[in-house]
Amino acid sequence: MLRVATAQFETGKDTDRVLADILRLADEAAAGGARLVHFQECCNYPTSYTDREHAWREAVTLEGPLVSAIRAKAREHGLFIGFNAAVRGPFPKAWMVNHLIGPDGEYIGSNKKQVLMWIERDAFFPSDEDGRVYDTEIGRIGMISCMDGLVPETSRTMACLGADIVLNSLCSNGVDEANLHIPARAAENGYFMISANRVGDMVKGQDLQDLIDAAGMTRDFVKGAGESQVVGPDGMPLARATHDDIGLVFADIDLSTLEREDRMARRRPELYTLMGEDNAALAALAEDRAPAGKVALTTIVPGGATFDERLAQAREMIASAPAGLAVLPEFFAWDLGDDTRLDEATAALIKAAAEARTYLVAGLPGREHGKRVNRAVLFGPEGVIGEYGQIHADPGSNDMALGDDLPVFDLPFGRLGLLLGEDLLFPEAARVLARKGTDLIACPTAWREDWHHELMLTARSAENHVTIVSAGRSDSLCAKPGTVCTTPPEYRFPQTKEVNAPDRHMAPSLTGAFTVEVDLAPNRDKRLMGATDLIMDTRPELYGAILALRESVPA
């Protein structure tokens, strides 16, 4: 077991006090038996700058007093220390940088922040180099910063480079980071994530009032959200601090429980190439989209005991649902493993869609070269429009024929993409669809674990600003009701303290029909805080590891 600690305290312009807090908390971490302690973003100075020159002046150098003092403290206790402090380069360049110090006081390495948030964009430059993972005696360690964890690519790069532990430094007042994004990143990558966030006021006096005025929020809403935590490979917190207490939390982690290799083994990098293409090229992919508008979204989950009962129930529910889009589960009418009577079910769905003048997505079985195929088939009023074959294999499956494409379909209410339940565990799939201009993803599912529904479904909607409609089998290993996740009609941080969380609508029962009317138009605004774009501000040139183009650079 490896004991680790993560800290939280108040940032501020009183930099001597901040450094003293860091050193004191490092003493406490060592006294508590930790081998590693991690600190939050902006340890050198809060993100309260007048311009780039100001940010450059306040940035540190690696030979300066802050880094030197932390190196000495690491050497004193034989402690690994992770922290974030801006570093200056040739004027006017400065970067927000994560640093890792070893137990001998050596400077192991750093990662620059890749995606900048809100006012950071006016003060700093985004990273100009690939992220790295560093081999150490306690495991392979990667580092990311705050906004980097609100998009999937930076964290995914760390997993592709073999990280066991990822240190995430935050300067956030968003409550959804601790409750959604950090657990989702740990779970989808199968590694441990140690996050450290600030508490209290970021600045004091007139600076605080200026920040409140600029943000248009109350003092409470610009306070740090805290909840520094250690999260396991299943997305479950092993230790989590409160919203406002200064101090440390400790956790004992077991690297033998890592699930990263399983997650990585089933990836399909050859299908993710769009993630590496220049963002400027994406506009052409969205040129001919229909306007995104309002649509009735219905999940339909039959509950009968036989094929005939389930098919009959599905037809009845389709007939009574409002016209729009209805989604049925994986293999909606079949017992798992059965693929007979496919023509009969297909004909029934063609007729049902035509009579109801609606669109349907249903999970259907198939066979290809003697192997089973998991398909999502799109039906419209005029018949079968297209289909999608699951691209990521189910765990332990040796008899699946996998698809090799992520198609999109233009419908009257917006652009539709298709996934199947297992694909939600792989952020690349939904990301490719989002980069193709998708507004809506229909996802027949058979849930296997709670975090697949609670974290993966929600995270895929949030990080892409897309609506996802999931209908899960009522006999799933982890049965969940039909669920619709969608981008809120307005940015709600000033009301909810959530930086990027979708609205979630869940059916009241595991079976039956459940309808939500959703406006897809808000999905086309990918910005957070009116500034950082979830798609256009990503860094495709840094994602070679995701596309299996390059490996980690040794420390």
Side-chain angles (χ1 to χ4, degrees), residues 288-549:
D288 299 323
R289 286 186 300 178
K294 292 182 178 179
V295 59
L297 303 175
T298 303
T299 61
I300 290 178
V301 183
T306 67
F307 174 92
D308 291 303
E309 291 175 351
R310 290 188 285 260
L311 181 58
Q313 288 182 21
R315 292 181 64 179
E316 291 174 5
M317 288 186 276
I318 292 167
S320 60
L325 177 73
V327 180
L328 288 77
E330 290 186 17
F331 310 127
F332 79 97
W334 290 263
D335 293 329
L336 292 175
D338 181 19
D339 59 4
T340 60
R341 304 176 68 180
L342 178 59
D343 290 344
E344 179 182 348
T346 302
L349 293 177
I350 290 173
K351 183 177 180 182
E355 291 177 347
R357 307 303 298 170
T358 195
Y359 294 88
L360 308 173
V361 174
L364 302 182
R367 285 279 166 181
E368 186 176 310
H369 306 301
K371 292 188 175 184
R372 68 183 179 90
V373 179
N374 191 6
R375 300 184 298 149
V377 180
L378 172 63
F379 301 84
E382 308 304 324
V384 174
I385 297 174
E387 68 174 69
Y388 161 76
Q390 182 174 317
I391 64 172
H392 298 102
D394 292 337
S397 174
N398 297 315
D399 66 339
M400 284 189 72
L402 298 177
D404 59 5
D405 190 22
L406 286 157
V408 296
F409 306 91
D410 286 308
L411 302 181
F413 41 79
R415 182 166 289 181
L416 174 72
L418 304 176
L419 293 177
L420 287 147
E422 192 65 22
D423 297 312
L424 289 176
L425 277 64
F426 298 84
E428 296 93 340
R431 201 58 157 174
V432 169
L433 291 178
R435 290 176 71 82
K436 289 184 176 184
T438 297
D439 304 302
L440 171 66
I441 296 173
C443 187
T445 65
W447 300 111
R448 293 198 322 277
E449 296 192 43
D450 185 75
W451 63 268
H452 296 177
H453 177 265
E454 299 302 319
L455 294 177
M456 298 297 95
L457 171 62
T458 313
R460 299 295 87 89
S461 175
E463 69 207 18
N464 295 297
H465 276 196
V466 296
T467 299
I468 304 182
V469 188
S470 70
R473 294 177 63 97
S474 62
D475 62 353
S476 298
L477 291 175
C478 182
K480 297 289 183 180
T483 304
V484 177
C485 291
T486 190
T487 306
E490 69 280 330
Y491 193 57
R492 290 183 177 161
F493 181 86
Q495 292 80 42
T496 66
K497 293 192 74 172
E498 293 173 322
V499 175
N500 188 29
D503 288 340
R504 279 172 58 100
H505 306 276
M506 292 177 60
S509 61
L510 293 177
T511 60
F514 173 65
T515 300
V516 179
E517 184 173 285
V518 168
D519 187 354
L520 300 179
N523 291 323
R524 295 197 175 177
D525 184 354
K526 307 295 185 182
R527 296 172 301 165
L528 303 182
M529 304 291 286
T532 302
D533 191 293
L534 292 164
I535 302 293
M536 300 305 292
D537 284 322
T538 57
R539 309 294 306 287
E541 71 275 19
L542 303 182
Y543 302 152
I546 295 175
L547 305 176
L549 299 177

Side-chain angles (χ1 to χ4, degrees), residues 77-97:
H77 293 302
L79 189 64
F80 286 89
I81 300 179
F83 67 101
N84 176 284
V87 173
R88 77 175 64 140
F91 183 80
K93 287 195 171 182
W95 300 272
M96 303 180 78
V97 180

Side-chain angles (χ1 to χ4, degrees), residues 9 11 18 22 37-47 49 60 66-67 70 81-87 95-100 107 110-114 116 120 124 143-146 148 167-171 196:
F9 59 92
T11 56
V18 170
I22 293 170
V37 62
H38 182 47
F39 293 96
Q40 64 213 43
E41 198 173 34
C42 307
C43 285
N44 65 299
Y45 196 86
T47 50
Y49 300 101
V60 304
L66 183 138
V67 176
I70 294 174
I81 300 179
F83 67 101
N84 176 284
V87 173
W95 300 272
M96 303 180 78
V97 180
N98 295 294
H99 309 267
L100 180 63
Y107 187 89
S110 64
N111 279 343
K112 295 175 180 176
K113 190 170 187 175
Q114 296 184 0
L116 301 179
E120 297 167 357
F124 296 105
M143 295 170 282
I144 69 169
S145 293
C146 201
D148 284 338
L167 307 179
N168 186 356
S169 295
L170 298 97
C171 179

Side-chain angles (χ1 to χ4, degrees), residues 153-288:
E153 290 91 347
T154 316
S155 301
R156 193 58 145 189
T157 297
M158 296 295 99
C160 292
L161 298 178
D164 303 320
I165 300 167
V166 172
L167 307 179
N168 186 356
S169 295
L170 298 97
C171 179
S172 176
N173 38 357
V175 297
D176 53 316
E177 299 230 40
N179 298 317
L180 171 60
H181 303 290
I182 292 165
R185 298 295 167 239
E188 70 198 19
N189 292 300
Y191 52 43
F192 291 91
M193 181 166 279
I194 304 173
S195 67
N197 193 16
R198 67 181 179 89
V199 295
D201 296 322
M202 183 165 70
V203 287
K204 304 293 185 183
Q206 187 58 47
D207 290 325
L208 176 58
Q209 188 58 53
D210 291 344
L211 179 63
I212 290 169
D213 293 342
M217 305 175 205
T218 66
R219 178 182 178 186
D220 181 60
F221 275 69
V222 297
K223 284 186 175 181
E227 292 195 286
S228 299
Q229 61 183 322
V230 181
V231 180
D234 59 356
M236 294 298 294
L238 303 176
R240 181 185 284 175
T242 67
H243 284 291
D244 46 23
D245 288 333
I246 293 173
L248 299 165
V249 292
F250 293 83
D252 296 308
I253 65 175
D254 181 357
L255 295 186
S256 71
T257 64
L258 287 165
E259 299 179 22
R260 184 196 66 249
E261 289 187 8
D262 173 68
R263 306 279 197 275
M264 298 300 103
R266 292 184 288 136
R267 293 175 66 252
R268 304 284 305 281
E270 72 277 13
L271 303 183
Y272 309 152
T273 54
L274 189 59
M275 294 177 65
E277 294 188 14
D278 192 297
N279 290 335
L282 300 182
L285 299 179
E287 280 181 353
D288 299 323

